[in-house]
Amino acid sequence: MYDLVLKGKFLKNGKLVEGNIGVSDGRIVRLSTGELKGEETLRTGLGKVILPGLIDVHVHLRDFRQRSKETVRTGTMAAIHGGITTVFDMPNTDPPVMDSGTFKMRAKLFRGGAYSDYALGFLLNGNCTEARRTRADFYKAFMGASTGGMFSEDFESDYSCAPGVVSVHAEDAGVIARNPERPPEAEVRAIKRALKAAEMFKKPLNVCHVSTAGGIEEILSAGLPWVSFEVTPHHLFLTRKDYEKNPLLKVYPPLRDEEQRRALWESFSRIPIIASDHAPHTPEDKENGAAGIPGLETEVALLLDAVNRGLIELPDIAEKMHVNPIRIFGIRNKGLEVGKEADFTVVDLKREWKVRPEEFYTRAKWSPWEGKKLKGKVVMTVLHGRVVMEEDEIVGKPEGVRIDAGKGNA
Ligand SMILES: NC(=O)N[C@@H](CC(=O)O)C(=O)O
Ligand SMILES: [Zn+2]
Ligand SMILES: [Zn+2]
């Protein structure tokens, strides 16, 4: 007898099967096409699919001195609402997470405060000794300034010193200084430099929010197995034309023209990770030119809508937001396998809904897709075998825990 049995359609080896998932003590104990008996049974019903718990490897949760933008609480509630069971916390906070003391404060904030599971990041900028003594789940470097204004004085040295996967914001500081509008060249040049370093150091590098045809081409043609990259929904679904109509859409790297956007889609099958780069700001800060777009509560639905439009297939979502993040960041306790934690994102592919950001959990009460009708919705989120969100309602407590990336706990 299992604690919980989830009944319905789920993905197995990229195919939809009808069956049962047996869960005990928060972990997957059995995946079966036959009947299973549980203390409790969750029937997901017609049109719904049980996806593995989706992971967003690029999220800004602010907090510390920027609680008016977002907090660990509101940001992880937004995650759970959007069907994200694990978030990667970006360290460009105020104060930034770039010493072991601040890292400990960050860990404390998440412990007992997070509704989703989480990975903790550490910001690199000439602080090699601190980086080595802090067992973060991943490390972050900026090659050019973004929110927070900080960037590596010596990217190569920061990257080579980090004791783990380095996620990099690749926009070249020199190009930005000459061209504040950040043309594609800013990204392509930085990516070339990062790839050269990756070739030399042969250690894991993840290029954040790639937005250009040139950038993708460079990464794919280099073919380095230890280099991965992310693409955001906003770069996949929006262009500079949208920004010209709505100045809130200011973001780094900027929204590109239609040709660049199309190029992302042409390489879609080779994109390893989709991540939101959820970057909430207050309306005042946006008015004063802050860059960043909130995305946690729309990203999965946008992808489901794309499934309905025939642009992608359901297994693409699981691959780019579950399987690949787990592999790339070495997450040991996640996966749709016996023995792993029972995290699930239940979606209704047929459900139509309208984006109403005023009903979202994020403190950034706006969305580029406000008023847009989407077909496909996250209807339930399960974390460690417990339903934590159902029909837009967060049920349960902040029980998220830190991922196991083999680092031990801070
Ligand atoms: N993407 C953005 O425009 N802003 C991000 C920082 C970042 O990811 O570069 C933020 O923290 O606001
Ligand atoms: Zn960035
Ligand atoms: Zn970011």
Side-chain angles (χ1 to χ4, degrees), residues 4 18 35-36 77 80 86 90 93 117 123 129 134 151-152 183 209 225 231 245-246 250 268 273-274 374 381 397:
L4 173 75
E18 187 85 43
E35 284 301 311
L36 297 180
M77 282 172 115
I80 288 295
T86 298
M90 284 294 161
T93 46
D117 280 359
L123 186 62
T129 318
T134 309
F151 63 92
S152 286
H209 43 49
V231 172
K245 281 182 267 172
N246 181 2
K250 178 170 176 186
F268 189 82
I273 298 179
I274 292 180
L374 295 175
T381 309
K397 296 186 281 282

Side-chain angles (χ1 to χ4, degrees), residues 58 60 90 92 140-142 144 146-147 168-171 208-209 252-253 277:
H58 191 144
H60 300 271
M90 284 294 161
N92 63 329
K140 174 76 185 269
F142 286 87
S146 185
T147 300
V168 63
H169 178 116
E171 283 191 292
C208 298
H209 43 49
Y252 299 147
D277 188 14

Side-chain angles (χ1 to χ4, degrees), residues 123-141:
L123 186 62
L124 303 166
N125 187 10
N127 50 348
C128 190
T129 318
E130 284 294 314
R132 288 218 163 120
R133 86 158 63 120
T134 309
R135 296 167 90 67
D137 299 312
F138 71 102
Y139 297 80
K140 174 76 185 269

Side-chain angles (χ1 to χ4, degrees), residues 147-178:
T147 300
M150 185 120 42
F151 63 92
S152 286
E153 269 153 55
D154 183 344
F155 165 72
E156 284 74 12
S157 131
D158 287 343
Y159 166 42
S160 78
C161 123
V165 183
V166 174
S167 273
V168 63
H169 178 116
E171 283 191 292
D172 182 79
V175 177
I176 296 173
R178 291 186 296 276

Side-chain angles (χ1 to χ4, degrees), residues 15-16 89 191 245 378:
K15 292 219 161 55
L16 274 183
D89 176 54
I191 287 179
K245 281 182 267 172
V378 176

Side-chain angles (χ1 to χ4, degrees), residues 270-299:
R270 298 180 71 192
I271 296 173
I273 298 179
I274 292 180
S276 68
D277 188 14
H278 177 77
H281 293 286
T282 62
E284 298 74 49
D285 290 348
K286 280 307 279 181
E287 240 162 69
N288 294 324
I293 293 175
L296 275 170
E297 284 159 288
T298 43
E299 59 180 324

